[in-house]
Every structure is written in structure tokens, then in C-alpha cells.
Amino acid sequence: MSKRIDPAALQLKDQVVSINRVTKVVKGGKNLSFSALVVVGDPGQGIVGFGMGKAKEVPAAIRKGIEVAKKNLKKINLFNTTVPHMIVGHYGAGRVLLKPAPEGTGVIAGGPVRAVLQAAGVANVYTKSLGTTNPHNVIRATMRALGDRRERKAKEPPATERPAEAEAVRS
């Protein structure tokens, strides 16, 4: 199990993905409230989290969503400025394809996927949202895709001659 990340030590930026008006029908009529889906992250550190808050007013719902997102922060390992390899994340009926992109491409993504990737600090990536367009499921599928990756390291340039072998050849 991973250690909890302390949000106080980070430069967190939040982004509201969706705000939904919710009504509950009761005996006396309808109770109106709002739910907000929020993504929070530190692009420099590669840390991202998401949360949902519900309240009678929109600002309170956003504030609650940010608090929940700060409790669910996860570290994302990147390869330079992109994802290490192609991967599909699944959650419910939501599927998200993440594909590495060359430097200068930017984030080719829509809505909830873009919010998560920008908050995580991914600068170059191709994405495709497959299946549902429900922002909750799309965000969870994106987070799973980022969490399911294998690690990839930069290739070292091949050494033409090692110094010890060069000395042995000259002698």
C-alpha cells in the first residue's frame, strides 16, 4: 500500500470538470442540490487526484470536491513528458486509450481526460475516450490507466569503446 501524499507541501492547482444539478423528490416537493467533480494536481511533481463534493450551493460543492481530491492524491511516473507506452484504462463502461506522443504534440484529449493529464503534468499524449462519456467513469478509467503503467527508462547511448578495453588494445 502506498504512503499518503501530504497536500500541504505541494503547489496544487484545481480544475472543475463538471457541475451537476441534483434533485431529490421528497414528500414536501423537491430538494435541489449540486454535485461537483474536481481534479487537483501538481504538474511539476506528477501528482494528481480527483474528488466529488455535494452541497446546496455550487461553491460549497466545489470546496468539498477539492478536499476529497486532496485525500486521493497519487504519484504518476512519466517518461520524459509523455506516458511510457500505450495503455487502455477501464472503469465501468468507460475506457480511455493513452498513447505516447513526440515532443511538441501537446495534450490531444477531451474534457475529463484533459483535466487529469494536465493536472498530472503530462505534456505530450494522444488519447481516445471509448465507451461512455460519463465524466466520473472517464476520470476513473484515466486514473487506472495512469496507475497500471510499467516503468520505462531513457535509453543510454551505446559506448563505442570502454576505456579499459582501449588501453588493452594499445599495449
Side-chain angles (χ1 to χ4, degrees), residues 53-88:
K54 289 169 106 177
K56 296 284 183 189
E57 297 167 356
V58 174
I62 293 171
R63 190 171 55 257
K64 286 181 181 180
I66 291 170
E67 289 172 11
V68 172
K70 285 181 181 179
K71 293 178 185 175
N72 296 321
L73 293 174
K74 293 195 178 9
K75 175 81 172 125
I76 305 300
N77 294 323
L78 302 175
F79 176 70
N80 297 334
T81 60
T82 188
V83 292
H85 55 85
M86 188 174 82
I87 187 157
V88 179

Side-chain angles (χ1 to χ4, degrees), residues 79-169:
F79 176 70
N80 297 334
T81 60
T82 188
V83 292
H85 55 85
M86 188 174 82
I87 187 157
V88 179
H90 301 269
Y91 185 83
R95 294 186 310 164
V96 174
L97 170 76
L98 302 178
K99 195 172 171 184
E103 190 69 35
T105 304
V107 179
I108 310 297
V113 180
R114 176 181 289 272
V116 172
L117 293 174
Q118 285 180 337
V122 179
N124 302 296
V125 67
Y126 297 118
T127 67
K128 178 67 179 164
S129 183
L130 309 162
T132 187
T133 57
N134 179 342
H136 297 276
N137 288 349
V138 172
I139 283 181
R140 287 179 187 267
T142 306
M143 291 294 287
R144 278 203 180 164
L146 290 172
D148 289 348
R149 294 178 294 75
R150 296 185 304 269
E151 199 165 326
R152 180 172 142 193
K153 295 181 172 71
K155 292 181 182 177
E156 294 181 15
T160 54
E161 283 187 6
R162 293 189 184 128
E165 291 175 1
E167 290 294 322
V169 171

